[in-house]
Amino acid sequence: MTEGPDAPPEGLLIKRAQLAARLSQREAARRAGLSEARWRQLVSGFQLVSRTRVPVRSPDETLARMARAVGVSAEQLEAAGRGDAADALRDAEAGRAAGEAGGTDAAGIDQAGRSRVDERWPLVAAVLRQARVGLSPAEYDVLAGRVTAYVAAPADAPGITGQPDAPGSSRPAGPDEDTDRD
């Protein structure tokens, strides 16, 4: 295995805070809404690709969630050279203060550190895994394209099934279409 980059200053800061808070890597990752593997990559500053260490940099919002999960302050992030992440943390904390009446912050993170997205993802992943069982590569490509289009479309877009003429579609019937089905 090739030697890779050293852990970035923010990764060292997060790791020290995680240990000081006596949190497992798994629990810290859960609180930040990340997989344990992604947490490890961002803290170490690299990911393995074909047995080569490839540098990775935490997106500002992700690093802010990680910092909040282990109790790192915005000032500490700034001192580690991540001013934009510090700003994202301040924004998240301001959103959380505003959203505490509802029990979640602006990003949908509840007081236990779990987002609504985290709660729903296992169900979505299971449905997507099952949906592709038995499909040919061409059919899988069509399915993947429809899922991508669905995710990219506004929530109130017509054709919510990804197939505008399919039964159950939200597209209203046209003036020449028979709406009485026998």
Side-chain angles (χ1 to χ4, degrees):
M1 193 176 315
T2 310
E3 284 300 312
D6 292 331
E10 65 270 18
L12 296 172
L13 172 66
I14 295 292
K15 184 66 174 177
R16 282 193 305 266
Q18 174 200 330
L19 295 172
R22 301 179 60 89
L23 291 172
S24 69
Q25 189 168 270
R26 176 176 290 162
E27 177 60 17
R30 186 196 67 77
R31 289 182 182 191
L34 299 172
S35 70
E36 188 176 356
R38 187 62 177 157
W39 177 277
R40 191 172 32 256
Q41 291 170 354
L42 296 175
V43 168
S44 68
F46 71 90
Q47 67 182 19
L48 290 176
V49 177
S50 300
R51 296 204 258 179
T52 302
R53 292 181 177 195
V54 177
V56 295
R57 178 178 163 88
S58 303
D60 297 329
E61 290 77 17
T62 302
L63 183 55
R65 290 195 331 260
M66 293 172 73
R68 188 169 64 195
V70 297
V72 168
S73 70
E75 292 74 23
Q76 289 172 301
L77 284 176
E78 282 179 338
R82 293 298 303 268
D84 289 341
D87 291 341
L89 179 57
R90 287 185 188 100
D91 290 347
E93 288 171 345
R96 183 176 189 149
E100 280 183 356
T104 62
D105 67 10
I109 306 293
D110 67 17
Q111 292 168 350
R114 190 160 172 90
S115 75
R116 291 183 297 263
V117 172
D118 293 332
E119 292 171 359
R120 293 179 179 129
W121 178 247
L123 175 64
V124 171
V127 168
L128 291 173
R129 270 192 309 275
Q130 188 62 36
R132 67 182 181 194
V133 171
L135 295 180
S136 71
E139 291 169 323
Y140 177 77
D141 288 344
V142 170
L143 176 65
R146 287 184 182 169
V147 169
T148 301
Y150 176 82
V151 170
D156 59 353
I160 195 149
T161 64
Q163 215 173 356
D165 295 326
S169 169
S170 62
R171 184 183 63 81
D176 297 330
E177 294 181 78
D178 181 11
T179 56
D180 291 327
R181 309 221 182 217
D182 293 27

